């Protein structure tokens, strides 16, 4: 069965995921050729730009939630906080309140199954971001969960409605985001319907092959969250690992070169589903590749594959027209690096609704 919606369970699961693996000793090179000192230095350089890009998006897109400039950066920032890195707590709280407000303004649409632009991708990433900040379940999150149950309810999975590769195109991504939102914020009276959709999605995930790295990453996550048989989970992990390149990274597409988005998302998925400890040589090679790809200013540059349709604006993250995919890549890369460090003894403070 899918996990229940209690906040305590969310925190417990998040803590268990983030605790996977033990890094090399300070300054000591491991078989993958990367030290804890190098990992920490890369994270320290990455965090200010993640905060700047998220803050700029909040200022420029005051009525919207952005998966690339808010969702993935916040997933990285909240993970970093569990490892003792200092983040701007007031800034984080403003983002959480903004996301909850965005969902709240559209609550009636969600209750009636209509949703907003981006549909399940937007709803799912918004709930995952709130979860990462410890946002409690409320009437608004229940409305979004109701939407996820109603949306495409005649199908055995959830399908993307956008064509913005890599993050908003894969049906595996949309399915996982929907399952996670229901797992975290589904209400007690929704559980019977949730169980039915989970069972259908599990069967779809088991029987449907993945075509690229984004598919493989979220197919693996989807199998994990639906409690698919261990052998299916292992097979999905091996398929993802089989596409790791000689340089330690992953490409977005078959035949491509490795980049921070594909590499970071692959490593995070393998670790957080319990399929690859961060001490494994393959994980360490991936970390080394992420550090090699990081630029001197602390950013990662990934070239966009999406056709622009939004009005261009500068968020504060570098790389001009490529900034949206680049900050999303930085979110995954930073999270993958963070996972390789030991968790701090005390839990991070939970957010509270205003």
């Amino acid at each position: 069965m899918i996990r229940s919606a209690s906040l305590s369970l969310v925190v417990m699961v998040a803590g268990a995921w983030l605790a996977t693996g033990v890094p090399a000793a300070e300054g000591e090179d491991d078989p993958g050729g990367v030290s804890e000192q190098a990992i920490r230095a890369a994270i320290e350089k990455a965090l200010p730009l993640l905060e700047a890009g998220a803050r700029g998006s909040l200022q420029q897109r005051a009525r919207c939630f952005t998966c690339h400039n808010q969702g993935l950066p916040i997933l990285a920032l909240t993970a970093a906080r569990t490892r003792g890195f200092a983040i701007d707590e007031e800034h984080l709280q403003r983002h959480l309140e903004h996301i909850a407000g965005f969902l709240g303004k559209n609550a009636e649409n969600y209750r009636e199954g209509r949703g907003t632009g981006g549909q399940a991708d937007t709803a799912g990433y918004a709930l995952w971001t709130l979860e990462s900040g410890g946002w409690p379940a409320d009437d608004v999150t229940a409305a979004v969960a109701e939407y996820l149950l109603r949306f495409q309810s005649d199908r055995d999975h959830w399908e993307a409605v956008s064509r913005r590769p890599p993050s908003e195109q894969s049906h595996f991504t949309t399915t996982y985001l929907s399952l996670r939102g229901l797992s975290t914020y589904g209400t007690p009276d929704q559980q019977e319907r949730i169980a039915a959709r989970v069972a259908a999605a599990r069967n779809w995930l088991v029987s449907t092959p993945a075509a690229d790295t984004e598919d493989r990453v979220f197919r693996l996550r989807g199998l994990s969250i639906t409690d698919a048989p261990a052998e299916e989970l292992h097979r999905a992990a091996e398929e993802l690992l089989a596409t790791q390149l000689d340089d330690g990274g992953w490409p977005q597409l078959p035949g491509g070169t490795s980049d921070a988005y594909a590499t970071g998302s692959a490593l995070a998925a393998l670790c957080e589903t319990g399929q690859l400890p961060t001490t494994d040589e393959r994980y360490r090679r991936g970390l080394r590749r992420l550090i090699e790809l990081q630029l001197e200013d602390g950013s990662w540059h990934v070239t966009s594959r999406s056709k622009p349709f939004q009005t261009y604006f500068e968020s504060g993250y570098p790389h001009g027209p490529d900034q949206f995919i680049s900050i999303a890549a930085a979110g995954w890369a930073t999270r993958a690096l963070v996972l390789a460090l030991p968790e701090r003894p005390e839990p991070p403070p939970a957010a509270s609704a205003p």
Side-chain angles (χ1 to χ4, degrees):
M1 288 292 294
I2 201 163
R3 293 185 294 273
S4 69
S6 69
L7 182 61
S8 60
L9 184 56
V10 169
V11 173
M12 180 182 72
V13 170
W17 281 356
L18 290 171
T20 305
V22 179
E26 183 73 25
E28 177 185 344
D29 284 339
D30 62 68
V34 62
S35 67
E36 180 175 336
Q37 182 178 11
I39 293 169
R40 289 188 177 276
I43 295 168
E44 290 281 6
K45 289 199 300 182
L47 294 179
L49 282 174
L50 286 170
E51 289 191 323
R55 184 180 292 110
S57 182
L58 185 62
Q59 294 168 347
Q60 297 279 351
R61 290 290 183 267
R63 297 183 180 180
C64 302
F65 162 71
T66 60
C67 305
H68 41 76
N69 271 69
Q70 290 181 291
L72 288 169
I74 291 173
L75 290 179
L77 292 168
T78 53
R81 185 174 63 179
T82 69
R83 266 51 176 184
F85 290 91
I87 67 170
D88 187 335
E89 297 290 346
E90 183 181 351
H91 171 236
L92 172 62
Q93 185 66 22
R94 285 202 304 272
H95 275 286
L96 298 177
E97 291 172 1
H98 170 82
I99 296 165
F102 165 77
L103 297 177
K105 288 186 294 187
N106 294 284
E108 193 58 34
N109 283 337
Y110 283 121
R111 289 189 189 95
E112 295 179 1
R114 294 195 300 269
T116 63
Q119 294 298 335
D121 286 330
T122 297
Y125 264 121
L127 290 184
W128 192 2
T129 308
L130 290 178
E131 174 199 337
S132 77
W135 193 267
D138 55 24
D139 289 344
V140 171
T141 60
V144 182
E146 182 64 28
Y147 157 75
L148 292 173
L149 282 170
R150 293 190 180 199
F151 185 61
Q152 300 177 339
S153 59
D154 59 334
R155 305 175 192 179
D156 57 2
H157 63 289
W158 286 262
E159 294 188 358
V161 299
S162 300
R163 291 295 177 266
R164 301 176 66 192
S167 60
E168 292 183 55
Q169 176 171 284
S170 170
H171 299 334
F172 291 98
T173 304
T174 309
T175 295
Y176 173 75
L177 293 172
S178 301
L179 290 167
R180 188 177 186 113
L182 292 172
S183 169
T184 308
Y185 290 111
T187 65
D189 62 0
Q190 293 170 339
Q191 292 306 310
E192 184 175 349
R193 288 182 294 152
I194 290 174
R197 292 216 69 174
V198 169
R202 183 191 304 118
N203 291 337
W204 178 80
L205 288 161
V206 167
S207 62
T208 306
D212 58 21
T213 298
E214 180 82 357
D215 280 0
R216 294 184 188 97
V217 162
F218 283 97
R219 181 172 182 265
L220 175 60
R221 285 187 177 275
L223 289 167
S224 179
I225 204 171
T226 57
D227 291 336
E231 60 270 23
E232 295 292 345
L233 203 59
H234 176 71
R235 187 177 298 114
E238 288 302 312
E239 289 177 4
L240 180 56
L241 282 166
T243 60
Q244 187 176 24
L245 301 180
D246 290 342
D247 64 13
W250 275 261
Q252 290 185 35
L253 298 173
T257 58
S258 62
D259 67 29
Y261 183 97
T263 303
S265 62
L267 291 174
L270 288 162
C271 173
E272 293 182 323
T273 58
Q275 296 302 300
L276 190 70
T278 63
T279 52
D280 190 286
E281 187 267 344
R282 293 166 293 182
Y283 197 98
R284 311 304 287 190
R285 287 175 53 229
L287 295 182
R288 182 182 62 193
R289 181 57 177 158
L290 289 176
I291 292 172
E292 289 172 349
L293 288 168
Q294 189 178 31
L295 301 179
E296 187 61 32
D297 65 359
S299 71
W300 283 271
H301 183 202
V302 176
T303 302
S304 177
R305 293 166 46 212
S306 296
K307 183 178 180 179
F309 72 94
Q310 292 180 330
T311 302
Y312 178 80
F313 68 93
E314 285 289 345
S315 70
Y317 200 84
H319 309 307
D322 295 330
Q323 65 183 286
F324 292 171
I325 184 59
S326 293
I327 194 172
W332 281 127
T334 303
R335 190 171 177 93
L337 289 160
V338 164
L339 290 167
L341 299 176
E343 191 172 8
R344 69 180 188 179
E346 70 278 9
S352 58

